[in-house]
Amino acid sequence: MAEYSIGVDLGGTNLRAAAISRDGKLLDKVSGLTNFTEGREAVLDDIVSAIESIRKKHGEVLAGVGVGVPGFIRIKEGFITGSNNLPYLENFPVRDAISQRLGSPVILENDANAAAMGEKWIGAGRGVDDLVLLTLGTGIGGGIISGGRVVRGHVGMAGELGHLTVIPGGNPCGCGNRGCLEKHASATAVTAMARLMQLGEDLTSKQVCDLAAQNSIIGQKARTIWQVVGEALGAALATLVNTFNFPLYLLSGGMLPAWDLFAPHMMRVLEERSFTYRATKGETRIEQATLGNEAGLFGAAYLPWLEG
Ligand SMILES: [Zn+2]
């Protein structure tokens, strides 16, 4: 029986777990809703039983378990903190609680960090040891891989790139700052701008993307939204390229279908604002991630191989 690891992706409402082999093959996957209203014990039970159901099928050659969670992580203590989505798991030793129930070691990681590791392992970042991933969703997550490892910072909170300031004095953010990247370039920001521009109440990114194809005032308004998104991303990328001089920056998430609408603005602003980018054009790639939703699962599963 081949050795495998288990990756878990804990979202706001759902839970996915997968068995993945050493060479990155998906062996098995389970997914389900997690009932967060039932309290901490119920959530922990859901996580542990998902892992157990996979372990029962694939045996004891388990290399380890990686769990990706939204929110800020205290890596040494195995805590989640500042996560709006997981109130029951806040400031509680969630890693050790899962580990004790399973009787095997568990690694806790921020979900975007895990996704960056997944892309590095078998996605668009394969063979690249230094990269940044931005996950464009309801918020914006970030993961930084340097020398083939997740950059965690001293407590585990590095890579919160959705809170880079791209517009000083811009829209207020739940983090207390104003003008955060995710307030101007997330799916939530697209929906909010569409509402402000009277295009519709609760339009999805896909709908705003479709409207932008219209040759009309409405189409023009929708294209302006994608311009704002692109310019905010360009400003963030300029900061990242200037900071890291990495060869690869990846974008993922449900907004990628609008790539052709926002990317020209993003690349223009990146070029305007980053000397490092201009000096390394052709060697610095800004690209779409390829694993989509699976990146976090693969990356979480990869962590035990790195730590082992
Ligand atoms: Zn913020």
Side-chain angles (χ1 to χ4, degrees), residues 2 25-26 40 71-72 98-99 107 137 172 241-242 302:
K25 278 201 194 70
L26 181 70
R40 179 188 293 158
F72 296 82
I98 299 171
S99 175
I107 299 162
V241 171
N242 286 351
Y302 188 60

Side-chain angles (χ1 to χ4, degrees), residues 162-163 173-177 180 182-183:
H163 301 285
C173 179
C175 75
N177 186 25
C180 288
E182 74 173 31
K183 287 294 139 193

